Amino acid sequence: MNYVFDQLREQASAALVATGLIAPEQIALAEPKNRELADLACPVFIAAKAAGDAPPVFAQKLAAAVRLSDNSLLASVEAAGGFVNFTVNPQVLAAAVLDEVTRLGDAFGKDHSVGAGEKVIVEYSSPNIARKMHVGHLRSTVIGHSLRLIFEALGYDVIADNHLGDWGTQFGMLLAAIDLWKLTPWNSPDPVQSLVDIYAQFNNALVLEERVAAQVEWKPAKETKTDNYTSENKLWVASDAMVRAMKCGEKATLRNLAREWFKKLEDGDVWARETWQRLIDITMAEFSGTYERLGVSFTTQHGESYFESMMPEVMAEAVEKGVAVRDAGGALVVEFDDKLPSCLLQKSDGGTLYQTRDAATCLYRLKNYAPARNVYVVGAEQKLHFQQVFEIVRRMGYPKIADVSIHISFGKVSPPNGGRFSMREGNVVFLNDVLDEAVERAVAKMRENVTEGRSEISEAEIGEIAETLGVGAVIYADLFQGPDRNITFDWDKMLADTGNTAMYLQYAHARCKSILRKANTPFAKP
């Protein structure tokens, strides 16, 4: 498909070549960093060297020799240092684009010949089970879903995977707390919030227990009073666990208890598995509602546990091929020489790690999909992790998947006062709360417009339209900033109806549609 913007570059290249001063292979058109100065720029350093001129001098000669036709998409050309800059003709460009949009309809922007049916895997969102989705999950979710839509528009067969965090030591903590405290979070009006609270309480108890333990003289196999914790701390469970452990003559802790429960989960303990599955079902019911609001969907939702049965084979193969070795303590270690820091595939207690699970995931995808691209949309803080995983898979003899695996990183979302969002610190802004607030503000704005006579929307229409406006505002606030930037969460900026925001764009779109309806033009269609 040859779109108007392709023609724009073709016209610029043709105009440069027609001067006879520069060869086609010396042309590398790009968007300039400062779009206020030009729309396209051509560096002339290579051509200037071949001509024996200084780049600024050659750029002046080249720009002066360029001739543009009256109906060209380009309006002007000028030299700027070692570059030749082009500006577009806005009237001609706008007319050409509008004609293209009208002619192609829903096919506009698509070119299925690019992908030609090749498989691409895009892994995105990937929240943790037993947690609520918070504002930090927005980035992976909307960036990943956007990439999925782009790949599909280019003709790729996309496998959109939600790689759920449904495995790990945090489930040992939850199982330990539920068993120890005899809890039934699934009966709560907000069961996922109950799981979040249980996790936080267990962590608080664990931290306090360790602090107290560091100051207490341990006397195994003897009766110990429970007054190590004050009643104000309300952490009777932590002290109770310590006392019962001491009675057994062991220096047991809540941390050890959590490790034991996760090991039971890995080993297939019936109660642990059944309870863990209930936690997954509870959480997925809530996630599904959030994804529906965001307009996000997936082809597969394989959690980390899906690859659990594959891990022993992956570890055995890594050992057989000399990629990993057992240390004196029994841990399975991968050394990368000076290329990367070492990592573990298995802990000394037999537990697996993220590297193990992601290596197994890579090999599963190679065997079942043989993708042209294997894309991970995950935060920038996981850069080292993916470098290690891809290198492990490559050393195991699978460059076909390692070489097409790509980590699309993005910056973090921080609270207004800096730092980072943390479940443990209790400063998380939950994603559904953000969406609800956005919708409420959209409702208030629409009612204000109706009251002041700027809108004829009925009260019955406000709810549905507000959902579209509010959720769209949140998505746009993330996407327009670019994935590499760190974002400071600012509710007012995100939901503002002025400036470069979704609210402003959608209101402007509505006003334009109103004008077109009154003019009775075909562009007035919804």
Side-chain angles (χ1 to χ4, degrees):
M1 181 68 71
N2 192 28
Y3 285 98
V4 169
F5 283 95
D6 297 317
Q7 298 166 26
L8 183 68
R9 288 173 174 268
E10 290 170 0
Q11 288 184 14
S13 295
L16 290 169
V17 172
T19 65
L21 299 175
I22 189 170
E25 62 271 15
Q26 295 172 331
I27 297 173
L29 292 166
E31 293 183 4
K33 291 183 178 180
N34 188 347
R35 293 296 300 276
E36 294 181 1
L37 299 178
D39 298 296
L40 277 178
C42 179
V44 300
F45 302 99
I46 295 175
K49 184 177 180 180
D53 287 332
V57 173
F58 185 82
Q60 291 284 353
K61 291 180 180 178
L62 186 59
V66 170
R67 296 291 179 267
L68 301 175
S69 63
D70 292 339
N71 62 345
S72 173
L73 294 168
L74 299 163
S76 64
V77 57
E78 62 180 18
F83 294 83
V84 171
N85 291 340
F86 291 91
T87 56
V88 302
N89 185 324
Q91 289 79 20
V92 176
L93 179 68
V97 170
L98 288 174
D99 175 71
E100 194 169 64
V101 172
T102 304
R103 178 167 41 85
L104 295 177
D106 291 340
F108 178 77
K110 299 178 181 178
D111 188 350
H112 289 175
S113 66
V114 177
E118 285 191 307
K119 277 190 169 54
V120 166
I121 298 171
V122 183
E123 177 186 309
Y124 56 98
S125 193
S126 306
N128 289 324
I129 295 297
R131 305 283 186 90
K132 284 183 174 287
M133 291 180 70
H134 57 74
V135 69
H137 289 115
L138 181 68
R139 304 221 72 189
S140 175
T141 304
V142 301
I143 293 170
H145 191 66
S146 296
L147 286 173
R148 172 192 181 170
L149 297 177
I150 291 169
F151 277 122
E152 288 178 341
L154 294 175
Y156 289 95
D157 179 10
V158 182
I159 308 297
D161 184 38
N162 192 5
H163 194 72
L164 299 163
D166 65 352
W167 206 245
T169 54
Q170 69 270 28
F171 291 97
M173 294 182 183
L174 287 168
L175 292 172
I178 290 170
D179 175 63
L180 190 63
W181 298 345
K182 309 305 177 189
L183 302 174
T184 55
W186 36 84
N187 293 331
S188 168
D190 188 347
V192 179
Q193 183 59 51
S194 292
L195 295 175
V196 171
D197 293 340
I198 291 168
Y199 179 76
Q201 290 164 10
F202 191 89
N203 265 289
N204 290 338
L206 185 153
V207 170
L208 184 58
E209 177 192 70
E210 292 180 343
R211 287 178 180 173
V212 171
Q215 301 173 16
V216 173
E217 182 182 355
W218 289 83
K219 298 179 180 179
K222 291 185 178 181
E223 294 287 335
T224 305
K225 294 182 179 180
T226 61
D227 58 2
N228 290 330
Y229 301 102
T230 64
S231 59
E232 288 77 15
N233 285 320
K234 299 179 181 178
L235 295 175
W236 55 271
V237 174
S239 60
D240 179 64
M242 291 173 67
V243 171
R244 290 192 290 107
M246 292 177 197
K247 287 180 179 179
C248 295
E250 301 173 359
K251 188 177 177 181
T253 64
L254 290 176
R255 191 177 298 280
N256 287 339
L257 193 64
R259 287 170 180 159
E260 290 169 7
W261 270 111
F262 181 57
K263 190 65 170 60
K264 288 181 182 180
L265 180 63
E266 287 188 305
D267 293 341
D269 179 89
V270 175
W271 181 86
R273 287 287 174 132
E274 289 178 350
T275 304
W276 167 76
Q277 187 60 54
R278 295 184 81 168
L279 306 189
I280 293 174
D281 295 341
I282 287 169
T283 313
M284 289 306 298
E286 181 167 304
F287 287 172
S288 296
T290 304
Y291 289 134
E292 186 176 355
R293 296 184 75 180
L294 292 170
V296 169
S297 61
F298 303 93
T299 311
T300 59
Q301 299 197 69
H302 290 157
E304 294 170 7
S305 63
Y306 183 82
F307 306 96
E308 176 203 2
S309 63
M310 308 171 201
M311 290 185 238
E313 184 179 342
V314 170
M315 291 186 289
E317 185 176 349
V319 172
E320 180 185 343
K321 294 182 175 178
V323 177
V325 296
R326 294 281 177 190
D327 68 9
L332 191 56
V333 185
V334 179
E335 296 284 355
F336 299 97
D337 302 319
D338 295 331
K339 189 172 184 179
L340 294 167
S342 62
C343 70
L344 298 181
L345 287 182
Q346 189 175 39
K347 295 181 287 187
S348 57
D349 65 1
T352 55
L353 297 101
Y354 287 118
Q355 284 88 345
T356 327
R357 298 190 275 275
D358 277 332
T361 303
C362 268
L363 298 186
Y364 170 85
R365 290 173 176 173
L366 173 62
K367 179 180 179 180
N368 290 274
Y369 301 115
R373 295 285 187 274
N374 180 33
V375 181
Y376 298 81
V377 185
V378 184
E381 67 274 10
Q382 296 300 321
K383 178 181 178 181
L384 173 61
H385 166 79
F386 284 108
Q387 287 176 331
Q388 291 172 328
V389 170
F390 301 158
E391 184 61 22
I392 288 169
V393 173
R394 183 176 291 107
R395 291 187 179 195
M396 288 176 66
Y398 301 102
K400 189 174 181 181
I401 187 67
D403 293 345
V404 300
S405 293
I406 304 165
H407 173 209
I408 303 294
S409 64
F410 52 84
K412 65 180 181 179
V413 179
S414 302
N417 59 349
R420 61 178 298 161
F421 290 115
S422 170
M423 289 281 187
R424 295 181 185 180
E425 296 175 12
N427 67 341
V428 171
V429 179
F430 294 121
L431 184 51
N432 274 334
D433 291 340
V434 174
L435 300 180
D436 290 343
E437 175 71 13
V439 172
E440 289 175 11
R441 292 193 180 208
V443 167
K445 183 65 178 178
M446 283 191 288
R447 285 177 176 158
E448 177 186 321
N449 288 341
V450 170
T451 300
E452 296 180 2
R454 297 196 301 269
S455 174
E456 299 177 354
I457 297 173
S458 69
E459 185 65 26
E461 296 174 303
I462 286 179
E464 182 178 352
I465 296 173
E467 179 75 14
T468 300
L469 287 172
V471 174
V474 174
I475 294 172
Y476 185 85
D478 187 294
L479 291 178
F480 95 92
Q481 302 191 65
D484 55 329
R485 292 184 57 184
N486 292 328
I487 296 177
T488 299
F489 181 78
D490 188 318
W491 219 315
D492 291 332
K493 286 184 179 179
M494 180 183 289
L495 304 175
D497 57 7
T498 58
N500 189 3
T501 67
M503 287 284 198
Y504 176 78
L505 289 175
Q506 290 182 89
Y507 282 132
H509 175 264
R511 287 195 293 270
C512 290
K513 286 289 187 179
S514 176
I515 293 171
L516 292 170
R517 278 195 301 272
K518 292 175 181 178
N520 194 26
T521 72
F523 295 108
K525 296 179 181 179

